[in-house]
Amino acid sequence: MDLFQPPELPEGWHERERMLQEENARLRRICASLIERVESGGVAGGAPYASFEHSVLLAEQVRERTEALQQALVELHRAKAEAEAANLSKTKFLAAVSHDLLQPLNAARLFASALDEHSLPDDSHRLVGHIGRSLKGVEALLGTLVDISRLDAGLLKPDIAPFPVAQLLDVLAEEYRQMAAARGLELRYVHCDAMIESDMALLARVVRNFLANAIRYTPKGRILLGCRHRADGLEVVVGDTGPGIDEAQREAIFLEFRRLGVESSEQDRGLGLGLAIVDRISGMLGHPLRLVSRPGRGSLFSVRVPTGRQRCGWCGHHHQRRARGRRLALRGSRSG
């Protein structure tokens, strides 16, 4: 064998070499195009593959921020749980303390009443009367705070049952008609025989606050108590011809210790807690509240209660009773 003589190449080798060179060149062009696209889509002025490095860094930052956010959420849930526990402890403590304070206040009121029955000078009688009214106001305040505390602590459980709405409203109309007459007001009551489902005692508390506020803040005119049939229930309505409520105050009056900016006697000043209790009770019962008012013309407060059914004594089935729909109108207080 001649070592200096190159070996003979197989037939067709040159053609295969040419094709491989062309394929190599094509692949190089594709690779260069891909690198150009990567660099053009990366950070401006960056080096080759800068976008890849930037993406890795961004992913790391996202991971760190996600972990920090999760930790913050854990701390927020822990703080919320601690705040709820502290609020529950506060309401229970307030309920207990207020209940204990009511006992000596009741005794003080009894002593004041006994003292008022003795023969005293006129000035002393007036002082005893002031003492009795002051003690009554403090007792009412503490009793209301107890009710709010029990509502906030979830200690009051509603007893929902069907009953005729007239069973509640007839009694309230008779009771507050006398109170309205003592203030020179007329109480109009529209009877309704519909069945509703609610807690009678708690619903009575709501309507009583509506009526008490209407009488307290209406200097002259009329008070209206009645019902309106709605597609989703029965709306118990209390309207008045009082001074009305500005739109800016319509949410604030349902907060604690908020009173309407109208004149009232010192003896009959509200505590600013009635509507706050109304708001809590209606929320617990799931009865929506509604307020319609026109300044200078009057206000209309209402609570919407689900209709109920009454069990028939003859057949044992439940039948729904509906009164013929009555349109309630109160001149000077209806605003749509």
Side-chain angles (χ1 to χ4, degrees), residues 50-61:
S51 61
F52 175 74
E53 297 176 355
H54 178 69
S55 299
V56 172
L57 179 61
L58 182 62
E60 181 67 18
Q61 292 178 349

Side-chain angles (χ1 to χ4, degrees), residues 213-229:
N213 280 345
I215 294 174
R216 178 178 294 118
Y217 294 110
T218 302
K220 61 180 180 179
R222 295 176 298 278
I223 309 296
L224 177 68
L225 172 62
C227 302
R228 286 174 173 168
H229 287 285

Side-chain angles (χ1 to χ4, degrees), residues 52-131:
F52 175 74
E53 297 176 355
H54 178 69
S55 299
V56 172
L57 179 61
L58 182 62
E60 181 67 18
Q61 292 178 349
V62 170
R63 185 186 64 81
E64 293 177 356
R65 297 287 177 84
T66 302
E67 291 180 354
L69 180 60
Q70 290 177 347
Q71 182 65 26
L73 288 175
V74 170
E75 295 177 357
L76 180 62
H77 286 305
R78 184 184 301 113
K80 181 181 178 183
E82 293 176 355
E84 290 177 348
N87 185 58
L88 180 61
S89 176
K90 180 261 300 179
T91 52
K92 289 184 177 180
F93 173 77
L94 180 60
V97 171
S98 300
H99 183 269
D100 291 340
L101 288 176
L102 286 175
Q103 296 180 3
L105 279 175
N106 288 330
R109 286 190 61 194
L110 290 176
F111 292 147
S113 299
L115 183 61
D116 191 41
E117 295 177 358
H118 286 70
S119 299
L120 298 173
D122 293 339
D123 292 341
S124 299
H125 272 294
R126 283 194 296 270
L127 290 175
V128 171
H130 292 322
I131 292 174

Side-chain angles (χ1 to χ4, degrees), residues 31 39 55 61 70 106 135 169-170 181 183 186 193 215 220 226 230 232 234 248 252 258 266 279-280 293 312 324:
C31 184
E39 291 180 348
S55 299
Q61 292 178 349
Q70 290 177 347
N106 288 330
L135 292 174
L169 299 187
D170 288 355
R183 299 285 296 269
E186 177 189 1
D193 60 357
I215 294 174
K220 61 180 180 179
R230 300 297 187 186
D232 54 350
L234 188 74
R258 300 295 180 93
E266 187 68 24
D279 186 57
R280 283 168 167 81
S293 183
C312 180
R324 178 178 299 177

